[in-house]
């Protein structure tokens, strides 16, 4: 089993470059906050004994919303981190492509 490569870190373990989603951070956070509300609503539905199909419908909607956030982050990563590494640090480009490939493999295991 291989481990995914990681972005460079400083002496404190913090990443040394801005994340690829930095330009869309507020949008990503806003969507995640909405999803949090959806999940709380699902919890209330279960607490209130709502009909199974209604609960499953809401779970499906929250899952799709999370998938959309994930796709946006993936797009940000490819357009930012991977493209930047390929353009400015060819020695790091292979690491970024391997990281992307590993991430896609994990994401596609349903």
């Amino acid at each position: 089993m291989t481990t995914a490569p990681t972005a460079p870190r400083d002496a404190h373990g913090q990443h040394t470059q801005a994340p690829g989603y930095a330009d869309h951070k507020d949008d990503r956070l806003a969507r995640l906050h909405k999803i949090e509300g959806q999940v709380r609503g699902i919890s209330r539905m279960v607490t209130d004994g709502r009909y199974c199909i209604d609960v499953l419908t809401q779970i499906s909607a929250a899952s799709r919303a999370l998938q959309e956030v994930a796709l946006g982050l993936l797009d940000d990563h490819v357009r930012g981190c991977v493209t930047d590494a390929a353009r400015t640090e060819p020695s790091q480009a292979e690491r970024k492509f391997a990281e992307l490939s590993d991430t896609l493999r994990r994401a596609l295991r349903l």
Side-chain angles (χ1 to χ4, degrees), residues 1-9 15 17 77 81-82 85 91-106:
M1 182 169 147
T2 62
T3 58
T6 58
R9 296 176 184 264
H15 290 284
Q17 66 187 56
H77 182 66
C81 303
V82 176
S91 64
Q92 296 296 316
E94 186 58 39
R95 258 185 68 220
K96 290 293 183 181
F97 286 118
E99 179 182 60
L100 178 60
S101 180
D102 289 345
T103 300
L104 289 172
R105 276 191 183 85
R106 283 193 309 275

Side-chain angles (χ1 to χ4, degrees), residues 61-84:
S63 295
R64 282 192 310 274
L66 274 174
Q67 288 171 347
E68 285 299 317
V69 171
L71 287 172
L73 288 169
L74 180 62
D75 185 66
D76 292 339
H77 182 66
V78 170
R79 292 176 187 276
C81 303
V82 176
T83 302
D84 186 54

Side-chain angles (χ1 to χ4, degrees), residues 11-27:
H12 303 288
Q14 298 297 315
H15 290 284
T16 58
Q17 66 187 56
Y21 60 83
D23 291 342
H24 301 109
K25 184 177 179 178
D26 291 340
D27 294 335

